[in-house]
Amino acid sequence: MSRWSAVESDFQRFFNLQPLELSWRRFKNLIFSLVSQESSFYAPYLTEYIEQSREEINSQNSSDKENRVKINLETALDELGGAKESVSFNE
């Protein structure tokens, strides 16, 4: 396991335990209960996940902007079969 030193460091820091001295069940429960932002083990994965999410959002936003088409509101209502009634707020 390439990140074992981070696991050991987190277990010592947060639980004051040696991970190799634990049962598999207890080890699994404790490792999944670590706080992601503060964990030496999880922090790199969380950072990578956040960066990938930002890139996906940015690419979606840019493609949405490219696919937009401006049309006149009257034209859009005509195409949708909308009513052409005049609306007044003074009534």
Side-chain angles (χ1 to χ4, degrees):
M1 181 174 191
S2 64
R3 304 218 9 97
W4 183 252
S5 60
V7 171
E8 284 184 311
S9 128
D10 283 348
F11 271 71
Q12 185 64 41
R13 177 177 169 203
F14 293 112
F15 310 120
N16 200 22
L17 295 170
Q18 294 298 321
L20 292 176
E21 296 174 0
L22 303 172
S23 68
W24 171 247
R25 186 184 134 294
R26 185 149 189 227
F27 172 79
K28 184 180 66 165
N29 289 339
L30 291 175
I31 201 162
F32 286 118
S33 70
L34 289 170
V35 179
S36 300
Q37 293 91 344
E38 298 174 8
S39 167
S40 299
F41 177 69
Y42 281 119
Y45 299 113
L46 180 63
T47 304
E48 182 180 345
Y49 174 76
I50 290 170
E51 185 60 34
Q52 285 178 352
S53 297
R54 284 183 183 151
E55 288 174 7
E56 287 176 15
I57 289 170
N58 288 338
S59 72
Q60 286 175 352
N61 288 342
S62 65
S63 69
D64 288 346
K65 288 178 184 176
E66 292 171 3
N67 294 332
R68 290 183 184 173
V69 176
K70 289 185 179 181
I71 60 170
N72 183 311
L73 180 58
E74 223 173 279
T75 306
L77 287 174
D78 286 342
E79 289 177 5
L80 293 173
K84 291 187 175 185
E85 297 176 18
S86 296
V87 177
S88 171
F89 293 104
N90 297 328
E91 294 179 13

